[in-house]
Each structure stands twice: as C-alpha cells, then as structure tokens.
Amino acid sequence: MPVMAGDKSFFDEMFDEAGVPRHPFRSYHRWFADQEPAKLLKKAAEAEDLFRKTGITFAVYGQEDAEERLIPFDIVPRIISASEWTRLSRGIEQRVRAINAFLHDIYHRQEIVRAGRLPEHMVSRNTAFLDRMIGFTPPGGVYSHIIGVDLVRTGPDEFYALEDNARTPSGVSYMLENRETMMSMFPELFSQIKIRQVSDYPKRLRRSLSASAPRKCEGDPVLAVLTPGSFNSAYFEHAFLADQMGAELVEGHDLQIVDGRVAMRTTQGYRPVDVIYRRLDDDYLDPLTFRPDSVLGVPGIMDIYMAGGVTIANAPGSGIADDKAIYSYIPDIVRFYMGEEPLLRNVPTWRCSEPDSLAYVLDNLSELVVKEVHGSGGYGMLVGPAASKRELAAFAAKLKQRPENYIAQPTLALSTVPILTKKGLAPRHVDLRPFVLVSPDRVEITPGGLTRVALKKGSLVVNSSQGGGTKDSWVLED
C-alpha cells in the first residue's frame, strides 16, 4: 500500500527520513506490507460500524446539529517503545506527585506562596480555588485520583506536557474500546507483537479508588459513578466505566443524605456509598454549597465529605491544577515539592495577565496558539497560523478586554503518525493522553493511553469536538 510523503519539518513516528520504518514500527510494518489495501479499508469500515452499534459516541455542544456522533477511529496504531515509555512514565509520575503535593499545600499552609515561588493572586483569585477546602485533607491524602496528562512529541527524544487534566479527565473508555476493537479485528498482530495490556484499567481503577475510602467505610467499599445524565457528552464513558469496574451508575436524584452518610436508592431501600467517582464539575456538586440552581448534584454532600463520610474523586477544588496559568508554573512546582528537576518539559507559555507578555502575544498573534485559562476540548482557542485576519483581529480584541483569561504558546511541530486513507498511508498530527491512577500508596500509569489524531491534513487540532479521531496506542514489552 502506498505511503504519502509527509512534511519533513515534522517528526514522523513511523518512518525515518529515508522512508524506512523506525524500530518500534518494524514488526507492524512487515505485517502491514503483506495486507491487501481493499481488505484493510473494509476492516476500517467494519470498525466504524462496530463503534456505532456499541454506542461509542459523544455530543458536540453549541452546534445546531448537536446529536450524538462517532469519534472516528483509525486502525493504524501508534507504537511506543519500552524504553521511550519508561522515560515518559518517570516524568509523568514525578509530575502527578507534585500536583497532589501542590493541591495539599495551597489548601493548607501555602508554603509555595510564602516562599515567593507562586504569586498569591494565582491562588486567591482563581475561580477553581475553593475556600471550603481550606484546612481539609481528603481521605488518604489524595486530591486528584485520576489524572490525564496530555503529551505531545516534536522529535526522537522530545516530549512535552501540554496540559494537566486533574479534575475530570475523559477519554479512557475510548482507549479501552480501541484496544478491544483492534484485538478482535487483527488477533494475529497481538500474537506476533508483544504489547502491554490496558484491559485491566477498570480493575485497577476500582482498586485505586477503594484504597481512598473514608474512615467511616465498613467492609468492602461501595463505589458509584456520579453522572450529570445521558445528555452529557461523555455519558457513554460514565456508563462504561461503572459497568466495567462493578460500580453503580447514579445521578444526583438517586442519592440523598441518610443518617450522616451519602446513600443511593436501591430496590431494598437506601444503601450507603463510600466512594463517589464524580463526573460533574464542582459548581454542580452540591446546591447548598455551590450553585443553588443545580439539579445535578446532591444537597448536603459537601458536609458529609468534610465529616469523613464519603470520598469524592477527584476532590472538589482540584480543578485549580487544570488551570492553564497554573500550568505555566508546573516546572517550579515540581522543583519545590519534589526537590528535582522536571523530567517532562513544559511548553513555553506567556501569561497574558502580565503586560509584557500580553504585548508580545498581540505582536505575534499570527504565530501563536492562544487558549482560555479554564478552557477545554479545544473550545475558545485560537491557532494563529490557521486564523484569518478577521479572526486574529477579533481575538486580539478579546485579549485586550480580558487578558487574564488567556495564555499563549508557540505553535509546536507536533509529530505525525500515518492514518489509513483510500490512497494509502498519510501522516497526521497526534497527541497522547496517558491516564494516571493515584492512591495513598502508589501511582499507576496505564501503558499508552489515548492517542488523538487530527484527521484533516495539516491540522494541529486533535480534539474530537473539533473533528479529530483516535488511535490505539501500543507500548511494546521489553
């Protein structure tokens, strides 16, 4: 099958400059070269049908045709060598340990602020900082139990952490379904190539959450996944994870406070819940503490949480570590709490709240990527090189109006991995979201994670809400 030439200014993870498969892809490429193109394209269509029948969908907000949509799946895997993964894992673990230490500190003595390493206003004026959490330590001392660290690659040994999703990271169900689909369609590949498994993630998620059960838990912890409901863009994932780890899937109206515990409604009455894996934002969690108009949360749940009657994962207030302005301080956060140099590099970041940085960003807007501090999903961002003059002018006006709401970064030369097209293999830009589980006694990193791919030629935006797709991510055994 033909291979379409890529832009040599981007690192191609499958092929070197001479078109020779790189080491991690060699066994796969030998198999691929023996396949009939028509058969592979048929398999790709079958995968799409399978995803549709399984109901693996998401919703796009803010559009007239916001019906459930499939996330496109590409059958060419993204392959990472064992040695590459070992290096990445060390950097990821260091980073998530530092994030949890940071969250504990800012809700207690704020030593990092006292030491002058983080401006006080970055905490006190941050909308994700919850005064209610000051002085409180979650069960087991863990704030962010599930973290998704977004990584991008620009060269053979050049990886950057692009974002830290420390509040409610999504996408793990697609990682699991992608692997199951590949194993069912190409079983011979998994007998020829030794690939680290990801299928045990739900079991490890349950074990990790159970290890952070509250002190009032008696016996085996009862777990529940709290979802905003079927209208939510990630509802498939909420239901999938609850089913896979043997937890109850509940909505706010299924829970109430009974005898000082959070209890869920069952056919035998109300049963206490020990650990709640919540998939809704802080604002909607408890109408008595946060938004009084919320019908998604549980009235009084924060009081029970603060009294040690239930564990909420991730902890309320952990979203401050999602903040993209805080992200720019992560290297200093790692140094401060870990006493080490960061093993994962940050992307250079300009904080538009600072006058000098704002001036630079406005002068170079056409060359930068600008993001909302609290944005997610690719919404509210500007990719300067792909923007029109009108879009640049409109965004410049927004920057001047609310500079503190934005950060800017250079446009990175994201690596590419080929996708399967009717004309053959064609390079497309990718990122990677490994999923990390944090419990009181360990940090576990799923080997690989979710690879998101920009399906449009030349596009650097990989988010599914912006037209991106996914791939199966393989980490090779030693």
Side-chain angles (χ1 to χ4, degrees):
M1 200 166 195
V3 176
M4 298 182 199
D7 187 333
K8 297 302 182 183
S9 61
F10 300 107
F11 177 71
D12 188 317
E13 296 189 21
M14 183 183 281
F15 299 104
D16 65 17
E17 293 78 1
V20 177
R22 298 187 192 275
H23 177 71
F25 282 88
R26 285 176 189 168
S27 294
Y28 173 80
H29 188 262
R30 281 196 295 270
W31 171 89
F32 184 87
D34 291 336
Q35 305 305 304
E36 296 178 11
K39 180 182 176 182
L40 288 176
L41 290 170
K42 183 180 179 182
K43 287 284 189 181
E46 289 175 3
E48 183 173 314
D49 289 341
L50 180 61
F51 275 50
R52 183 175 288 106
K53 290 175 183 176
T54 307
I56 306 173
T57 61
F58 74 104
V60 179
Y61 297 131
Q63 298 189 17
E64 293 181 4
D65 56 340
E67 77 280 358
E68 295 294 306
R69 297 184 187 178
L70 288 175
I71 295 182
F73 172 64
D74 181 67
I75 63 171
V76 179
R78 197 252 191 97
I79 307 178
I80 302 168
S81 72
S83 59
E84 287 170 340
W85 185 247
T86 296
R87 293 197 305 273
L88 282 176
S89 295
R90 289 171 182 157
I92 293 168
E93 178 170 352
Q94 180 197 59
R95 195 173 181 96
V96 300
R97 287 188 181 278
I99 285 172
N100 269 285
F102 165 72
L103 288 168
H104 183 275
D105 182 32
I106 62 169
Y107 286 113
H108 290 81
R109 288 185 52 81
Q110 298 192 353
E111 297 288 358
I112 194 168
V113 174
R114 294 167 184 256
R117 304 289 284 275
L118 182 74
E120 189 272 339
H121 69 83
M122 296 296 297
V123 174
S124 63
R125 299 181 195 172
N126 197 303
T127 58
F129 180 75
L130 299 184
D131 291 342
R132 185 73 190 273
M133 290 292 290
I134 294 174
F136 174 73
T137 300
V142 180
Y143 285 80
S144 283
H145 306 75
I146 304 102
I147 298 179
V149 181
D150 289 352
L151 305 175
V152 293
R153 188 175 193 175
T154 59
D157 298 306
E158 297 169 354
F159 290 88
Y160 292 88
L162 188 63
E163 289 184 13
D164 301 293
N165 300 280
R167 180 172 28 195
T168 52
S170 62
V172 74
S173 61
Y174 304 111
M175 173 193 78
L176 295 170
E177 289 287 2
N178 289 353
R179 176 60 56 85
E180 187 171 332
T181 299
M182 288 291 286
M183 291 183 73
S184 65
M185 289 191 161
F186 308 108
E188 71 277 14
L189 269 174
F190 291 84
S191 62
Q192 296 174 26
I193 305 173
K194 300 305 178 185
I195 304 159
R196 293 185 61 180
Q197 69 166 330
V198 298
S199 59
D200 60 346
Y201 177 86
K203 179 174 70 176
R204 291 189 292 109
L205 174 61
R206 181 181 182 89
R207 182 181 64 201
S208 183
L209 291 174
S210 297
S212 293
R215 60 178 180 272
K216 291 186 180 180
C217 174
E218 298 178 358
D220 292 335
V222 176
L223 274 60
V225 177
L226 176 59
T227 176
S230 58
F231 58 85
N232 185 266
S233 64
Y235 180 74
F236 165 80
E237 177 159 297
H238 306 165
F240 177 90
L241 287 176
D243 177 68
Q244 291 292 307
M245 68 172 175
E248 299 294 332
L249 180 68
V250 297
E251 296 182 33
H253 58 77
D254 296 318
L255 303 174
Q256 70 177 45
I257 309 305
V258 179
D259 297 329
R261 300 290 303 279
V262 179
M264 64 182 173
R265 184 172 51 194
T266 72
T267 54
Q268 285 81 40
Y270 278 90
R271 181 188 184 192
V273 177
D274 299 299
V275 181
I276 295 177
Y277 178 18
R278 53 93 174 220
R279 294 300 295 261
L280 68 162
D281 291 340
D282 293 347
D283 282 352
Y284 301 95
L285 194 56
D286 185 344
L288 300 182
T289 301
F290 306 116
R291 287 184 55 155
D293 61 339
S294 172
V295 296
L296 303 177
V298 185
I301 191 174
M302 282 298 292
D303 290 335
I304 304 304
Y305 177 58
M306 307 296 280
V310 70
T311 295
I312 299 175
N314 290 343
S318 58
I320 191 171
D322 274 7
D323 184 285
K324 293 178 178 62
I326 292 291
Y327 160 90
S328 66
Y329 289 96
I330 288 290
D332 282 331
I333 286 171
V334 169
R335 295 183 188 102
F336 188 80
Y337 296 106
M338 307 303 292
E340 304 166 345
E341 282 299 308
L343 299 175
L344 266 179
R345 288 185 288 176
N346 258 27
V347 178
T349 303
W350 290 273
R351 295 181 285 269
C352 296
S353 58
E354 299 171 359
D356 289 347
S357 293
L358 176 62
Y360 177 85
V361 171
L362 290 171
D363 287 344
N364 297 274
L365 200 54
S366 63
E367 302 171 11
L368 302 173
V369 175
V370 188
K371 303 175 183 178
E372 290 184 347
V373 167
H374 298 294
S376 63
Y379 295 104
M381 66 183 291
L382 174 83
V383 181
S388 66
K389 289 184 178 180
R390 178 177 294 180
E391 289 169 332
L392 290 170
F395 213 94
K398 289 198 291 186
L399 272 172
K400 293 173 184 176
Q401 187 174 12
R402 292 193 61 196
E404 72 284 353
N405 199 44
Y406 297 94
I407 57 98
Q409 296 171 331
T411 306
L412 296 179
L414 301 190
S415 64
T416 64
V417 176
I419 64 168
L420 184 67
T421 74
K422 293 180 180 179
K423 295 181 180 180
L425 294 178
R428 294 293 186 270
H429 297 290
V430 293
D431 77 352
L432 178 67
R433 177 176 290 179
F435 295 94
V436 188
L437 300 175
V438 184
S439 61
D441 61 345
R442 70 180 76 181
V443 172
E444 297 180 90
I445 305 169
T446 305
L450 179 67
T451 288
R452 301 183 298 180
V453 54
L455 297 175
K456 184 179 179 182
K457 183 179 180 181
S459 175
L460 295 170
V461 182
V462 300
N463 305 79
S464 57
S465 57
Q466 310 297 316
T470 66
K471 287 175 169 288
D472 192 12
S473 309
W474 294 1
V475 172
L476 301 181
E477 294 279 8
D478 283 332

